[in-house]
Amino acid sequence: MKTDYIGELEELVLLAILKLGDGAYGAALHETLEDAGRKMSIGALYTTLSRLEEKGLASSRMGEPTAERGGRAKKYFKVKAPGVRALREAESARRKLSPEVGFAFSGGAA
Amino acid sequence: MNALQLLMARRRQHLKSQYGFSYGGDLKEDSPYVLYIHPKTHGIALQMKADVGRAESLRSTESSSPEEVAIVFGGDVEQAIFNFRGGEPLEVVSWEELARECSLPPSRPPINTEFILHLLLRGDEQDAVIGDLLERHGRKCARLGKRRADFWFCCEVFWTSLPLLKRALFKLGGLAALSEWVRRHIS
């Protein structure tokens, strides 16, 4: 079975999509990531999103145009099953490694 | 005049045309305020610091007039404005809705920066990316003022253009390599 490895940014974007649920579109994702302390341009966010779509980890659909967006439509994103699996794998890998490098976080490696 | 003051100026105009009176007072963005208008006395009655709970109590105690209007500014309550009239349930009005109600034109960023994105974005991405930028620009405008929002927009367009430009160049490079390969193998 093919394993989908994801980068840190991809992981954060997938988590943000999951957090926002049905309201996961570009501006909301950008704001959520910014609130989480991860600043990036909207362009960088969209290149990550299109990479996630190419990998089959996320899907998108066009929403309704709104006046505040100058009549432009929103693009909503959703995490697909392989995306959830990839997140679980990343989390489990981190859990396996964390106890062994735990001293680094507590200042032991300094 | 910042976006909030502009919005309030529009709101005052709207009330004046609708009720034949308006109100004054300074507004601050950092703390919640209530503006309380009493149409029967034709004037502004109160302006006080308040929170949503206070507004609720104000509504319950002084809702004798069905035309009472109060607007609550919540500094950190998602920039929401609560607009209620006596006897009716509390209605949440978003900045965008209020802007529309006051016929405030949607905030326009510097057009040239938008044009750059038109050149770099794919058709399906244009709506989403430019729309997101406009939406965030509008919110920043209300929060920070037009000048700072415009500056933010220009920076954002610059940083957004870089990965898009890289992608476009990568594609151009790919096309050039492909045409070179075809040229070599055909000739």
Side-chain angles (χ1 to χ4, degrees), chain B residues 12 21 25 30 37 44 50 61 73 75 80 95-96 109 111 137 148:
Chain B
R12 282 180 195 131
F21 75 95
D30 54 353
I37 305 128
I44 175 83
T61 53
F73 287 83
W95 276 106
E96 291 78 20
I111 192 74
H137 177 265
R148 284 173 71 185

Side-chain angles (χ1 to χ4, degrees), chain B residues 44-55:
Chain B
I44 175 83
L46 297 166
Q47 180 184 340
M48 66 180 78
K49 260 189 179 182
D51 54 21
V52 177
R54 170 83 180 144

Side-chain angles (χ1 to χ4, degrees), chain A residues 15-77:
Chain A
L15 287 170
I17 298 173
L18 285 175
K19 186 186 172 187
L20 289 168
D22 290 336
Y25 68 98
L29 287 168
H30 191 242
E31 211 162 349
T32 304
L33 289 164
E34 214 172 78
D35 290 345
R38 184 64 195 240
K39 292 201 172 181
M40 66 169 89
S41 69
I42 286 185
L45 174 66
Y46 270 91
T47 44
T48 307
L49 285 166
S50 63
R51 202 163 56 238
L52 287 171
E53 279 191 279
E54 280 164 19
K55 285 183 178 181
L57 304 178
S59 61
S60 67
R61 66 172 175 86
M62 291 309 284
E64 70 290 347
T66 60
E68 64 171 320
R69 298 165 60 85
R72 290 180 171 86
K74 291 175 182 175
K75 195 174 185 183
Y76 289 98
F77 293 88

Side-chain angles (χ1 to χ4, degrees), chain A residues 25-28 30-31 34 40-44 46-47 50 54 62 66-75, chain B residues 96 100 106 114 118 124 126-136 139-140 143 152 156 159-160 163 167:
Chain A
Y25 68 98
H30 191 242
E31 211 162 349
E34 214 172 78
M40 66 169 89
S41 69
I42 286 185
Y46 270 91
T47 44
S50 63
E54 280 164 19
M62 291 309 284
T66 60
E68 64 171 320
R69 298 165 60 85
R72 290 180 171 86
K74 291 175 182 175
K75 195 174 185 183
Chain B
E96 291 78 20
R100 270 200 294 278
E114 208 180 318
H118 267 290
D124 62 322
Q126 279 183 8
D127 262 18
V129 176
I130 297 173
D132 285 340
L133 281 167
L134 287 177
E135 187 181 328
R136 294 226 63 194
R139 284 185 197 165
K140 297 245 177 215
R143 214 177 291 168
W152 172 86
E156 197 63 28
W159 290 113
T160 294
R167 190 179 68 183

Side-chain angles (χ1 to χ4, degrees), chain B residues 5-54:
Chain B
Q5 288 164 333
L6 185 66
L7 201 59
M8 286 315 299
R10 300 270 179 164
R11 179 75 186 176
R12 282 180 195 131
Q13 276 178 4
H14 173 76
L15 285 167
K16 196 165 186 175
S17 62
Q18 194 169 347
Y19 298 105
F21 75 95
S22 187
Y23 55 88
D26 294 325
L27 293 164
K28 287 180 183 172
E29 288 180 67
D30 54 353
S31 57
Y33 271 81
V34 166
L35 283 154
Y36 174 65
I37 305 128
H38 203 296
K40 283 186 178 172
T41 55
H42 282 230
I44 175 83
L46 297 166
Q47 180 184 340
M48 66 180 78
K49 260 189 179 182
D51 54 21
V52 177
R54 170 83 180 144

